[in-house]
Amino acid sequence: MTSYTPAQVTEKTGFTIDTLRYYERIGLLHHVGRTAGGRRTFTDHDVEFLQLLRCLRYTGMPVAEMLRFVELLRSGDATQDERLEVLRDHEARVEAQIDRLREHQEHIQFKIKLYSGASELAVASS
């Protein structure tokens, strides 16, 4: 099994070392391995799990909800329906956010066309 240093994990996941420590302290990361010297060491499974957490966090899931999801995950198969509900609710929020961003993008595109036309008119009349 491959093991990774915290620095390698930050490269693979995009999290800072401070975030890794914070996630461990609050219980999002569970049973992080240690070397004989006490330094953290991460497995492929840890990196995979952190990539899931990154996805959830970067798409706006609050840390409290991430904690709830992780607790459900650690509770085993009996919580699968609840985990699905958490993920489906989050996905719906992400979709709504994407829709809002698309509306804003359309407004920006309209302004770009408007200003581009105004600039072209100013150049043509000089």
Side-chain angles (χ1 to χ4, degrees):
M1 179 182 282
T2 307
S3 66
Y4 303 96
T5 66
Q8 290 171 318
V9 171
T10 63
E11 286 179 27
K12 289 183 170 296
T13 65
F15 285 128
T16 65
I17 289 177
D18 288 338
T19 300
L20 295 176
R21 288 184 191 128
Y22 173 67
Y23 281 4
E24 184 180 6
R25 190 175 75 246
I26 65 171
L28 277 175
L29 279 177
H30 190 43
H31 301 299
V32 174
R34 302 279 177 159
T35 65
R39 293 179 185 233
R40 288 173 181 84
T41 182
F42 297 86
T43 64
D44 288 322
H45 181 271
D46 294 327
V47 171
E48 233 177 82
F49 185 70
L50 281 163
Q51 289 170 334
L52 169 64
L53 294 179
R54 180 195 56 190
C55 172
L56 296 175
R57 189 70 192 120
Y58 283 8
T59 55
M61 182 180 277
V63 171
E65 190 171 349
M66 290 169 60
L67 278 165
R68 178 174 174 252
F69 177 77
V70 168
E71 288 169 10
L72 291 169
L73 187 61
R74 290 183 185 137
S75 295
D77 291 341
T79 64
Q80 184 172 341
D81 289 342
E82 290 173 86
R83 284 181 275 150
L84 275 170
E85 183 179 336
V86 169
L87 291 175
R88 285 180 176 142
D89 289 347
H90 181 63
E91 197 274 336
R93 288 190 305 271
V94 169
E95 188 63 38
Q97 181 181 4
I98 290 169
D99 289 345
R100 282 190 304 276
L101 286 172
R102 283 190 182 121
E103 289 174 13
H104 294 310
Q105 182 184 30
E106 288 172 9
H107 190 150
I108 291 167
Q109 289 170 340
F110 170 77
K111 289 297 187 180
I112 288 170
K113 287 177 185 172
L114 181 69
Y115 296 153
S116 294
S119 295
E120 289 169 10
L121 286 175
V123 170
S125 65
S126 330

